[in-house]
């Protein structure tokens, strides 16, 4: 993938106690009790970052164009829709694919559509590859089964099979495909019954090492971070990590700023998972590497800078720190600045919750606005945002959850 993309995004995040490192479990499941209970996959920070990037329609359109460059002229990319990605089996167990795109075909005599199922994969092993392939087959079967059962007056492309796409960001740069026939075998003499399951496979780690990451600034920045898996690969990287963002010549929109916040939070978590220690000088260089000072407001950086600046304030007193937010951050390190810091972070989190809701549901109802304003806990607001991004099926669900968690 190497062409320019544009983007809008929202900022998903988790409380530190909820976060999992990629090494712990990319495919972790929780909540499974019996066949009648729902199960859901726990997203890692990398999963969440992947979802933020690829749920943006402008990014999605160009990604599809790059993935299928030789067939792009067949597609009406402006018609691309990001579908709900929840599948329910007959036992009501819930499985979550990362993203589903549907795109109408161009210049067709009948209404046809292409359906893509995107799956992010952060690790690779024999057993995990088996699970990934089995999951994808179950997605395809469940989707086709559901479509076959639905009766619509104007059914679009009935009987269509989705096309699976895996975007890999794990450490194995040599992984080039996941092939069903090499993973699941039939006894000798029965080869004619072996399944064929073609999958579009993109190894982002390999593309980074070959210097072929996407040119779009936000994608290039994110995948450059996401595909580094050791402290050695982070050596000096903090000082240049946001450099691709210099290619953004326009003033950053509100959505761009949300995406910058998300990338900063993800960068911090990824560095933490690799036991990489960031010092003030690293943070200073990090911001300057992206040339963000001209567009980003100060409170956009409170969440990221506060822990570092607070420690600096305690240890060194009032001294110069980073250009944006440094004075505020050091003052926050003093006792009298703590309340101001909390209010600023609460304001940023409330804005992030509302942006997430608008991205998924198109509006923020009055009861939800009131619940967000009443919430005085950063943890509660983070919980609302994660719920809105991963579990809420409707605004009613979200309002009920927000009113409960915000109490």
């Amino acid at each position: 993938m190497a062409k320019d993309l544009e983007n809008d995004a929202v900022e998903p995040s988790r409380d530190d106690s909820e976060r999992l490192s990629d090494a712990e479990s990319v495919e972790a499941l929780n909540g499974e009790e019996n066949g009648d209970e729902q199960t859901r996959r726990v997203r890692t920070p990398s999963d969440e970052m992947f979802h933020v990037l690829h749920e943006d329609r402008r990014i999605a359109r160009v990604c599809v164009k790059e993935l299928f460059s030789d067939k792009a002229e067949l597609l009406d990319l402006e018609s691309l829709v990001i579908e709900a990605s929840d599948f329910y089996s007959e036992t009501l167990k819930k499985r979550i694919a990362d993203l589903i795109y549907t795109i109408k075909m161009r210049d067709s005599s009948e209404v046809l559509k292409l359906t893509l199922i995107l799956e992010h994969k952060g690790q690779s092993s024999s057993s995990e590859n088996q699970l990934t392939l089995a999951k994808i087959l179950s997605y395809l079967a469940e989707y086709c089964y559901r479509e076959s059962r639905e009766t619509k007056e104007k059914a679009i492309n009935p009987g269509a099979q989705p096309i699976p796409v895996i975007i890999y960001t794990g450490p194995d740069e040599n992984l080039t495909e996941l092939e069903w026939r090499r993973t699941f075998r039939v006894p000798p003499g029965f080869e004619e019954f072996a399944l064929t399951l073609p999958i579009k496979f993109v190894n982002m780690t390999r593309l980074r090492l070959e210097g072929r990451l996407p040119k779009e600034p936000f994608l290039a920045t994110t995948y450059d971070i996401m595909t580094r898996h050791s402290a050695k690969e982070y050596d000096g990287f903090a000082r240049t990590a946001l450099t691709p963002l210099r290619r953004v010549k326009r003033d950053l929109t509100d959505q761009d700023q949300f995406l910058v916040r998300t990338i900063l939070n993800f960068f911090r978590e990824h560095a933490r998972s690799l036991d990489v220690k960031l010092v003030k000088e690293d943070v200073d260089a990090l911001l300057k590497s992206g040339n963000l000072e001209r567009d980003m407001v100060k409170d956009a950086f409170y969440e990221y800078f506060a822990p570092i600046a607070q420690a600096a304030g305690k240890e060194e007193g009032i001294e110069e720190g980073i250009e944006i937010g440094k004075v505020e951050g050091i003052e926050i390190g003093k006792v009298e600045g703590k309340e101001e810091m909390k209010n600023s972070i609460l304001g940023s989190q409330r804005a992030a919750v509302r942006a997430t809701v608008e991205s998924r549901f198109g509006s923020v109802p009055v009861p939800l606005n009131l619940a967000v304003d009443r919430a005085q806990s950063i943890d509660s607001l983070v919980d609302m945002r994660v719920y809105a991004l991963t579990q809420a099926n409707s605004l009613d669900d979200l309002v009920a959850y927000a009113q409960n968690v915000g109490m």
Side-chain angles (χ1 to χ4, degrees), residues 11 258 261 299-304 306 332 337-355 369 371-385 405-406:
E11 175 195 2
F258 274 120
R261 293 186 186 102
D299 64 356
F301 297 104
Y302 278 159
E303 277 187 86
Y304 190 77
I332 285 168
K338 289 185 177 180
E339 189 62 30
E340 180 183 351
M341 178 192 72
K342 178 182 177 182
N343 290 336
S344 177
I345 294 177
L346 284 172
S348 177
Q349 289 291 347
R350 290 188 180 109
V353 171
R354 291 186 173 99
N369 260 321
V372 170
D373 287 337
R374 282 197 300 265
Q376 296 299 313
S377 164
I378 295 171
D379 291 347
S380 295
L381 290 166
V382 170
D383 288 342
M384 289 182 200
R385 189 170 51 190
V405 77

Side-chain angles (χ1 to χ4, degrees), residues 172-230:
D172 187 356
E173 64 188 85
N174 297 313
L175 187 63
T176 59
E177 64 180 351
L178 291 186
E179 187 176 354
W180 184 275
R181 290 189 178 213
R182 292 185 179 181
T183 306
F184 297 96
R185 297 184 298 275
V186 296
F190 290 83
E191 289 82 3
E192 63 185 291
F193 300 105
L195 288 176
T196 299
L197 184 61
I199 295 175
K200 182 74 174 178
F201 188 89
V202 180
N203 188 327
M204 281 291 179
T205 302
R206 183 168 188 161
L207 292 182
R208 173 178 65 83
L209 294 173
E210 294 176 351
R212 296 194 295 124
L213 282 175
K215 291 182 180 178
E216 194 283 324
F218 291 103
L219 279 176
T221 300
T222 301
Y223 281 122
D224 201 5
I225 297 168
M226 196 180 294
T227 56
R228 295 173 186 266
H229 302 282
S230 68

Side-chain angles (χ1 to χ4, degrees), residues 4-10 50-65 76-83 99-104 118 216 219 255 259 358-360:
D4 286 344
L5 317 178
E6 294 182 355
N7 73 91
D8 295 310
V10 295
F50 175 87
H51 203 278
V52 168
L53 286 171
H54 293 280
E55 74 176 356
D56 179 88
R57 287 185 70 248
R58 287 184 290 170
I59 286 181
R61 286 195 297 265
V62 183
C63 282
V64 171
K65 187 175 182 180
D76 178 11
L77 292 171
E78 292 299 318
S79 72
L80 183 144
V81 173
I82 300 175
E83 303 284 359
L99 288 161
I100 302 175
Y101 297 157
T102 58
I103 310 139
K104 292 180 181 178
L118 269 67
E216 194 283 324
L219 279 176
Q255 295 291 352
L259 186 53
E358 289 174 356
S359 175
R360 282 206 64 189

